[in-house]
Amino acid sequence: WTPYWLRFPSALLGTLVILPAYGLAKMLFDRRTAQLTALVLTFSQFEIELSRYGRSYTLFQFLFLLALIFFYQGFLQKRKRYRIWFLITALLAFSSHYLGAILLVLFLGGRGIY
């Protein structure tokens, strides 16, 4: 158990978070916006610093973005196979950090709450 190996999963997830961020931006906007998102995440000092910590913050960020992608595909695009993946990633995101409960708010949109 060296400090390198304790921080390695966080650094790996900090790098991998670029992929779901790119995918979500491409689904919601266009390819150029997705490329800009990936570029900003790649060189962001905040993201680099966050990836250096041996904490679960990057895991939460990764799972949160995946849950958003699965929510969009499953509930807004009406693809039923993504709904179970949303539930799994939302529960994992909530178990990694309590702010994962924000994902429940996604079900309130578009129902005349405003």
Side-chain angles (χ1 to χ4, degrees), residues 57 60-61 64 90 93-105:
Y57 302 133
F60 171 69
Q61 182 182 21
F64 194 88
F94 181 71
S95 69
S96 69
H97 199 280
Y98 69 93
L99 286 176
I102 294 173
L103 291 168
L104 296 175
V105 177

Side-chain angles (χ1 to χ4, degrees), residues 8 24 66 91 107:
F8 180 73
L24 183 64
L66 280 180
L91 286 173
F107 290 104

Side-chain angles (χ1 to χ4, degrees), residues 12-29:
L12 181 65
L13 285 170
T15 305
L16 290 178
V17 80
I18 297 169
L19 298 174
Y22 176 84
L24 183 64
K26 190 174 177 185
M27 280 190 296
L28 296 178
F29 303 108

